[in-house]
């Protein structure tokens, strides 16, 4: 695993595996050889109601006795993940959407994220008008509570391994400090600011770990000290 092509990084640190919250800090660097530099202020974020579990991302599989992410476990994935796209309520032709630098999908009333492990579309964002609906469970991406007003896709379980966890996002929190079902969530303005900052050319990644696990991997994963 190497971060030599990444020039943007979101770091989320939690106190331990059972933590339901943490702190998010942005980092950037001008080149792969340059040191990471912190950007902006730290942001308090909510994590899964059951804490953290190892996810499937850019890091090698870990078998250290700590939990592994499964569908419906209420845990946010721990590890290193690509940030592959954005979504939100703004129309695709809006000034907001046009200013974003990651691929963007408008959260229409037909956009779903499929969380049914039996579906061929498991862990994918799909427009239900364009596919044969073969799921019994999927998240509506156009929400009335504003939690998906804007957000970023965290590429956990990109291969769609059935039951390994799905639909993991950075999104707007329901309320400060209130845990999520497995996503990472924060203040609306802070999440909007982070999403506007992300740039596909910089190959942005998220590292999300308990503090002690992070310290162990700073050198091996080329992380900010």
């Amino acid at each position: 695993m190497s971060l030599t092509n990444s020039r943007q990084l979101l770091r989320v640190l939690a106190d331990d595996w059972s933590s339901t919250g943490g702190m998010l800090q942005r980092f950037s660097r001008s080149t792969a050889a340059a040191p990471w530099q912190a950007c902006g202020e730290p942001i308090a974020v909510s994590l899964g109601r059951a804490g953290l579990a190892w996810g499937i991302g850019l890091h090698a599989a870990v078998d250290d006795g700590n939990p592994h992410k499964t569908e419906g476990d209420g845990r946010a994935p721990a590890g290193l993940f690509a940030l592959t796209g954005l979504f939100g309520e703004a129309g695709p032709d809006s000034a907001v959407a046009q200013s974003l630098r990651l691929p963007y999908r408008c959260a229409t009333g037909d956009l779903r994220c499929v969380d049914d492990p039996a579906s061929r579309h498991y862990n994918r964002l799909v427009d239900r008008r364009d596919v044969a609906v073969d799921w019994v469970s999927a998240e509506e991406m156009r929400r009335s509570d504003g939690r998906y007003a804007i957000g970023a896709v965290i590429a956990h379980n990109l291969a769609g391994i059935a039951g390994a966890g799905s639909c993991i996002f950075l999104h707007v929190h329901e309320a400060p400090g209130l845990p999520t079902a497995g996503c990472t969530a924060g203040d609306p303005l802070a999440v909007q600011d982070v999403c506007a900052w992300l740039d596909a050319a910089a190959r942005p990644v998220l590292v999300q770990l308990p503090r002690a696990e992070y310290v162990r991997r700073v050198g091996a994963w080329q992380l900010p000290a």
Side-chain angles (χ1 to χ4, degrees):
M1 184 207 69
S2 174
L3 291 185
T4 54
N5 292 323
S6 295
R7 292 182 288 107
Q8 287 186 329
L9 181 144
L10 302 183
R11 182 183 71 184
V12 174
L13 296 182
D15 287 341
D16 52 45
W17 287 98
S18 62
S19 295
T20 59
M23 296 299 296
L24 182 153
Q25 177 67 62
R26 286 180 281 170
F27 291 86
S28 67
R29 57 187 180 182
S30 56
T31 68
W36 291 106
Q37 301 290 334
C39 307
E41 296 297 318
I43 300 164
V45 291
S46 297
L47 300 171
R49 61 179 180 271
L52 293 163
W54 283 115
I56 302 172
L58 300 173
H59 57 283
V62 181
D63 187 12
D64 60 358
N66 289 304
H68 287 254
K69 175 76 184 154
T70 59
E71 188 66 44
D73 63 359
R75 296 180 182 271
L80 184 66
F81 309 94
L83 295 163
T84 54
L86 303 172
F87 58 87
E89 295 176 356
D93 297 324
S94 66
V96 170
Q98 291 295 312
S99 69
L100 298 172
R101 294 174 292 170
L102 273 182
Y104 174 80
R105 293 192 73 163
C106 176
T108 67
D110 290 299
L111 189 64
R112 300 287 186 271
C113 188
V114 181
D115 55 15
D116 179 356
S119 170
R120 75 187 71 181
H121 306 295
Y122 180 63
N123 197 30
R124 287 177 53 199
L125 283 169
V126 296
D127 189 313
R128 63 178 178 175
R129 298 169 299 181
D130 298 335
V131 299
V133 174
D134 65 348
W135 58 81
V136 297
S137 177
E139 285 197 48
E140 294 186 15
M141 298 301 295
R142 187 78 176 192
R143 300 177 63 110
S144 60
D145 59 14
R147 277 188 278 173
Y148 289 173
I150 191 165
V153 177
I154 298 170
H156 158 72
N157 190 20
L158 194 59
I161 298 170
S166 63
C167 306
I168 304 298
F169 308 125
L170 169 66
H171 65 75
V172 174
H173 61 206
E174 185 175 359
L178 189 67
T180 71
C183 292
T184 302
D187 172 82
L189 291 179
V191 172
Q192 181 176 334
D193 190 41
V194 170
C195 290
W197 175 76
L198 294 171
D199 185 349
R203 300 196 179 185
V205 295
L206 164 74
V207 58
Q208 183 163 261
L209 289 168
R211 223 171 269 278
E213 299 290 345
Y214 182 88
V215 171
R216 292 189 190 102
R217 291 168 172 80
V218 165
W221 289 14
Q222 305 170 23
L223 302 171

